[in-house]
């Protein structure tokens, strides 16, 4: 379980990552940062597409990048910060991660891992998705 300092550094990284969003369509910027059990952290931001459905959320960009860059490492915490272009310095309080990202979190994080959400605080992943879909029984 990451300590308070590690979580607050992760929160700052997620806020900073909002500037990296590619969001010309929604103009809604989301930053995410994940902490790994090897001590590394990886950031992500939402990446949109002219074919809207191809958009990928910041949380998944961060988790997929971390998984590709650190094979075998486990994600132990994630921080998310969201806002639109007119409020780039004040996070849009209480923007919760979407359901798809919660399911992906369940794949790569322990179910009691902290999910820090700007304006909300940290909560265990299992409280955000109490009944995830499970295919494998060995993880
Ligand atoms: N978005 C995220 O990055 N994370 C979420 O959990 C929900 C939504 C992005 C996708 C899209 O670029 C924009 O926010 C508006 O839906």
């Amino acid at each position: 379980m990451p300590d308070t300092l590690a979580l607050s550094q992760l929160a700052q990284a997620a806020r900073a990552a909002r500037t990296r969003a590619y969001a010309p369509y929604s103009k809604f910027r989301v930053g995410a940062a994940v902490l790994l059990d090897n001590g590394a952290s990886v950031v992500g931001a939402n990446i949109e597409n002219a074919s809207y459905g191809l958009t990928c959320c910041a949380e998944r960009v961060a988790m997929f990048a971390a998984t590709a860059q650190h094979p075998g490492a486990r994600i132990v915490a994630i921080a998310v910060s969201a806002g639109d272009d007119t409020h780039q310095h004040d996070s849009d309080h209480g923007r919760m991660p979407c359901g798809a990202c919660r399911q992906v979190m369940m794949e790569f994080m322990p179910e009691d891992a902290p999910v820090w959400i700007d304006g909300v605080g940290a909560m265990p992943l299992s409280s955000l998705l109490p009944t995830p879909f499970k295919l494998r029984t060995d993880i």
Side-chain angles (χ1 to χ4, degrees):
M1 185 69 73
D3 59 29
T4 311
L5 176 62
L7 212 51
S8 101
Q9 285 173 342
L10 204 64
Q12 290 312 314
R15 282 184 176 153
R18 283 162 56 186
T19 61
R20 303 182 184 209
Y22 175 73
Y25 305 105
S26 73
K27 310 216 185 302
F28 187 76
R29 294 173 172 272
V30 186
V34 296
L35 180 65
L36 305 179
D37 60 2
N38 64 10
S41 59
V42 175
V43 299
N46 54 326
I47 309 293
E48 299 186 344
N49 192 273
S51 179
Y52 291 178
L54 303 184
T55 291
C56 193
C57 294
E59 297 92 319
R60 275 177 285 159
V61 170
M63 288 186 282
F64 292 160
T67 301
Q69 288 168 28
H70 300 271
R74 190 91 173 135
I75 299 172
V76 293
I78 186 167
V80 188
S81 177
D84 62 38
D85 273 356
T86 52
H87 299 94
Q88 277 194 44
H89 301 294
D90 301 310
S91 178
D92 205 348
H93 283 352
R95 293 289 182 159
M96 303 296 286
C98 81
C101 289
R102 295 179 199 200
Q103 177 69 33
V104 174
M105 287 175 200
M106 273 293 175
E107 188 78 27
F108 294 115
M109 299 169 64
E111 62 180 33
D112 61 346
V115 180
W116 181 91
I117 301 154
D118 211 345
V120 176
M123 58 186 68
L125 174 56
S126 57
S127 71
L128 288 171
L129 190 64
T131 55
F133 174 72
K134 287 184 180 169
L135 197 55
R136 289 176 61 180
T137 53
D138 58 331
I139 52 171

